[in-house]
Amino acid sequence: MSVRDVDPSVLGARIKAARSKVGLTQTQLAGDDISVAYVSRIESGQRRPDEELLMTIAARLGTTVEVLVMGASADTIADLRLALDYAELALETGSAAEALSKATDACIEAGALSVPGLLHRARFLRARALENTGDLDGAIIELERLCSDDSDPLLWANVANHLCRCYRDSGDLSRAIEIGESALVRLRELGLENSEDGIRITVNVAGAYSYRGDLGHATRLCRSAIEVVEETGTPAARALAYYNASVMESMRSGSTPGALSMAARALELLGQTEDARNRARVRSMLGIMQLEADGDELEAARYNLTTALDEMAWTSAGPFDVAVTRLALARVLLLDGAFDEAKQLLGALGAMRDEVPLLAAEALAIEGQVALENGDIAQAKYDFGRAVAELTAAGADRDAAKLWYEIGDLYDQLDERDLARQAYRSAAAASGLTLTRKAVTRTGSSARVREETALD
């Protein structure tokens, strides 16, 4: 970077800070060959000195042109870049806490050196590390700040994609859709809607729609993404489209051969990339689909889920992905009769209770099933009761409805009819079902039914 490339206001601020540090007045810095007024204009960003004058100023300040232009020496900047490389490596190999620590330190250093490009990278790495440690609110706060700068469209699109995903995973679906669709409009204006980041944002928006219950629109978004990327997309972009289309198809129609085929295709495409995180996530989803599929897919499910967990241990997969995979593998082990192994897998999920109560509820329901299989009825009832408490706090959506229904069936097995009835009603409520007619009185042997209306 030369003096012509630096913002005059930034350069002036650095000169003023360096002058204050060494205790010189503007008159002393000006000397006999620069006017004090010109020094004042330089420091206020109104004038840009030429290379020769800047060398004179740097010498009087006891620093270098390099430090004044770049905010730090080449060696200092190289060290900062290396620290960021280490932070990114830690993130990509699954050491999110270490990555967070290194990225936070780098943010402080880059901010002190006034190196905007490196500060942006450090803050983005910190946001990703916060996301991967499960601190979605912290990640969202950092990403919102970064998203306000769209001077570099490609960097901005990457930030917008992560922001959309964090809002989606935190349960703020309306905000996720708002962020994602605004980003797609911006990318269309720039001719980048079919880029890899454009596809990533599209499928994250589709995920938000699906969680909100609009599976039809979510499925269409993913299918249109497949059509686009089959013509011009990279293997990574094509894998994203196939993976998310398989998820939507599975949610809409169950683990059909079509959904399994698309998930397998996504895994094959990711084998051509270095995206270890998403490869592990797709393998996990394929295992979950095989678990839920009709036919003898249990052994294949166990292999894919076990392999996915191994892969997640050394990638940047977040705690949510790991928890979902652990739960699915625990179900496989339960069906295989490996009860102790299943319970052992669930032990690490308690820490997610505050962040994702639905996962905690599912883990407790599985623990209850293990107790039931072992003949410990009292423990099973206790675990199911705790699962109900967690599920009550989890909100209402398709996954909650499914788990409520499962708990109702488990209470039926224990002959707890009233508790089972309550769970089934909660399942109906969570899925959005409501009564249009309601029995209100019975006289003798005849029933009188009044249709509920809402007139005012």
Side-chain angles (χ1 to χ4, degrees), residues 394-452:
D397 62 14
R398 178 182 180 275
D399 290 333
K402 184 177 179 182
L403 186 53
W404 272 120
Y405 191 85
E406 181 179 310
I407 289 175
D409 181 65
L410 291 168
Y411 273 133
D412 263 338
Q413 294 179 43
L414 293 171
D415 289 326
E416 295 283 354
R417 304 303 181 193
D418 289 340
L419 292 173
R421 189 179 301 111
Q422 291 173 21
Y424 290 139
R425 285 176 175 169
S426 295
S431 66
L433 294 177
T434 57
L435 292 173
T436 56
R437 292 177 180 272
K438 183 177 180 180
V440 291
T441 62
R442 286 184 177 272
T443 303
S445 60
S446 66
R448 181 165 60 87
V449 178
R450 177 174 63 86
E451 184 170 1
E452 293 293 302

Side-chain angles (χ1 to χ4, degrees), residues 28-345:
Q28 289 170 322
L29 178 57
D32 297 330
D33 49 352
I34 312 171
S35 73
V36 176
Y38 194 61
V39 169
S40 178
R41 291 190 183 97
I42 290 173
E43 289 190 353
S44 64
Q46 298 176 44
R47 292 288 184 273
R48 185 201 304 270
D50 59 26
E51 298 276 356
E52 185 176 350
L53 180 56
L54 189 60
M55 288 177 65
T56 301
I57 291 172
R60 289 175 184 170
L61 293 172
T63 186
T64 65
V65 170
E66 178 183 57
V67 170
L68 293 177
V69 170
M70 301 181 67
S73 68
D75 287 344
T76 301
I77 289 177
D79 288 343
L80 180 54
R81 285 200 175 101
L82 185 61
L84 288 170
D85 288 342
Y86 278 125
E88 189 158 19
L89 180 63
L91 188 62
E92 295 301 330
T93 53
S95 302
E98 181 184 357
L100 178 58
S101 175
K102 290 182 180 298
T104 300
D105 290 343
C107 282
I108 296 169
E109 186 175 355
L113 295 173
S114 300
V115 187
L118 292 182
L119 179 58
H120 185 285
R121 183 186 174 198
R123 291 173 64 186
F124 187 38
L125 277 172
R126 184 172 185 276
R128 290 173 57 198
L130 286 166
E131 178 186 0
N132 283 6
T133 57
D135 185 357
L136 295 178
D137 287 340
I140 287 169
I141 290 169
E142 193 72 81
L143 291 167
E144 284 279 13
R145 292 170 182 157
L146 290 171
C147 213
S148 63
D149 179 9
D150 62 353
S151 55
D152 185 326
L154 292 178
L155 284 177
W156 173 82
N158 201 1
V159 170
N161 170 57
H162 280 267
L163 183 58
C164 175
R165 186 172 71 198
C166 284
Y167 272 122
R168 183 200 67 191
D169 290 348
S170 71
D172 193 343
L173 304 181
S174 296
R175 182 63 175 154
I177 291 169
E178 178 188 355
I179 290 287
E181 291 186 336
S182 296
L184 289 174
V185 169
R186 173 83 168 125
L187 289 176
R188 274 193 291 273
E189 292 171 352
L190 298 168
L192 297 171
E193 69 270 27
N194 297 337
S195 65
E196 189 167 321
D197 278 319
I199 297 300
R200 287 181 187 276
I201 293 172
T202 298
V203 298
N204 278 327
V205 170
Y209 272 114
S210 71
Y211 291 163
R212 204 166 71 175
D214 195 347
L215 284 172
H217 187 55
T219 303
R220 288 188 290 275
L221 279 174
C222 290
R223 286 183 177 176
S224 65
I226 287 178
E227 292 176 6
V228 168
V229 295
E230 277 295 4
E231 296 180 7
T232 60
T234 63
R238 291 159 66 198
L240 277 170
Y242 273 105
Y243 166 65
N244 285 276
S246 71
V247 172
M248 300 309 152
E249 179 67 26
S250 175
M251 292 177 68
R252 195 178 189 188
S253 307
S255 296
T256 62
L260 286 167
S261 175
M262 285 189 285
R265 177 61 175 150
L267 190 58
E268 177 188 350
L269 287 164
L270 283 170
Q272 303 172 30
T273 74
E274 297 180 358
D275 192 348
R277 174 182 181 269
N278 277 324
R279 186 162 60 246
R281 293 177 70 220
V282 170
R283 190 181 294 280
S284 171
M285 179 53 64
L286 179 57
I288 292 170
M289 289 181 184
Q290 289 165 333
L291 168 63
E292 296 175 348
D294 294 331
D296 189 15
E297 297 277 357
L298 207 58
E299 191 60 37
R302 183 169 185 167
Y303 168 78
N304 279 316
L305 291 167
T306 302
T307 304
L309 273 181
D310 290 342
E311 291 174 345
M312 286 177 180
W314 52 268
T315 71
S316 61
F320 181 83
D321 297 321
V322 173
V324 168
T325 307
R326 278 178 172 270
L327 282 171
L329 183 55
R331 288 190 177 278
V332 171
L333 294 170
L334 185 65
L335 291 171
D336 266 352
F339 305 135
D340 291 339
E341 290 180 59
K343 187 170 182 178
Q344 188 176 0
L345 264 179

